[in-house]
Amino acid sequence: MPNPPKPLLLGALRPNVFRLPKGRKPVYLPSFTVTLIRTPNLPPTMASFIVPLNFNKLDLKDYLYHVYNVPVISIRSYIQQQRVRQDKPEAKLPKQRRWYRPRSVKKMTVEMGAVSDGLEGTGGGPFVWPAEEEDLEQWDKTAWDSAQKAQEEENKRFGPDAGMMPKEDRKTMAEQAKALLEGSVAWRPSWRDFGPAREVETDVDINLGRRASGKEPSAGTGQKTSDV
């Protein structure tokens, strides 16, 4: 009779801890820019970034984990196409009907993992934006707003649909018409503001000055001149 099998001795179970493998591509001086966007409408466990167009989800996940020690659970990405505008952004005087579409923007929204979930690392957890600055005068906020308002007015004045916009003197003309209808101002033709009527062409003796000085008038001199 064969010998019965020996019982298998099981060791202590290790906790199921997720260990993200390190990236194999060494990057010493990153040539890309990752911008964190202020998103007050998202929950504290999520953050949104603007990344380069050639960035993928694994790149951002590896970047956040190994640079900031922040574990990432999931990532959603989308490419936002920009609106068509006239001429390039660096043009001082945009040319009409010269259309230009700026480069698209790629955004990624990540869901960060918390330390209590058993993920490795000290990062993660709720992320709360700091309070916004209320006093912006140290950054010349008033001058910036004035420049923006002047730029918007100039764009409206020289835009492609500037001819269809109401003129600035429209309100003044309405006030003048209202005053005429109420009788507070008497109507007067505009030609009366130029003074009394006078003859434009008159017969003038241009040789009168020559006779007074003792000189004879030259032949072929005209006798009619304009009194304008």
Side-chain angles (χ1 to χ4, degrees), residues 42-102:
L42 291 179
T45 57
M46 302 185 72
S48 184
F49 299 89
I50 296 179
V51 299
L53 291 175
N54 59 349
F55 229 58
N56 57 37
K57 297 181 180 180
L58 297 179
D59 292 336
L60 183 61
K61 188 174 184 178
D62 185 80
Y63 175 78
L64 293 178
Y65 183 78
H66 294 104
V67 175
Y68 298 100
N69 204 15
V70 175
V72 177
I73 298 177
S74 63
I75 300 179
R76 292 177 295 175
S77 66
Y78 69 96
I79 297 178
Q80 183 179 2
Q81 193 175 27
Q82 301 301 298
R83 297 179 57 183
V84 177
R85 54 173 297 169
Q86 296 195 35
D87 213 341
K88 296 184 178 181
E90 61 271 10
K92 296 183 179 180
L93 294 176
K95 298 181 180 179
Q96 297 184 7
R97 302 186 182 279
R98 187 174 181 179
W99 304 110
Y100 170 78
R101 184 186 294 276

Side-chain angles (χ1 to χ4, degrees), residues 104-195:
S104 301
V105 177
K106 188 173 186 179
K107 297 182 180 181
M108 290 189 180
T109 303
V110 303
E111 183 180 359
M112 299 175 290
V115 180
S116 59
D117 295 338
L119 300 179
E120 183 181 1
T122 59
F127 175 78
V128 181
W129 272 95
E132 295 186 11
E133 293 285 344
E134 296 182 359
D135 186 13
L136 302 178
E137 289 301 327
Q138 55 180 339
W139 293 285
D140 296 334
K141 184 66 168 56
T142 304
W144 171 264
D145 292 342
S146 301
Q148 286 291 106
K149 185 177 180 181
Q151 183 67 28
E152 292 177 359
E153 293 178 355
E154 185 176 358
N155 293 339
K156 291 181 180 179
R157 190 164 54 242
F158 296 100
D161 54 348
M164 298 182 293
M165 300 296 292
K167 303 298 182 181
E168 297 181 357
D169 56 351
R170 182 177 180 181
K171 184 177 180 181
T172 306
M173 295 175 62
E175 294 177 354
Q176 293 177 358
K178 184 178 179 181
L180 289 173
L181 293 175
E182 293 177 352
S184 57
V185 178
W187 178 80
R188 181 178 178 179
S190 59
W191 58 267
R192 292 188 178 179
D193 297 335
F194 296 99

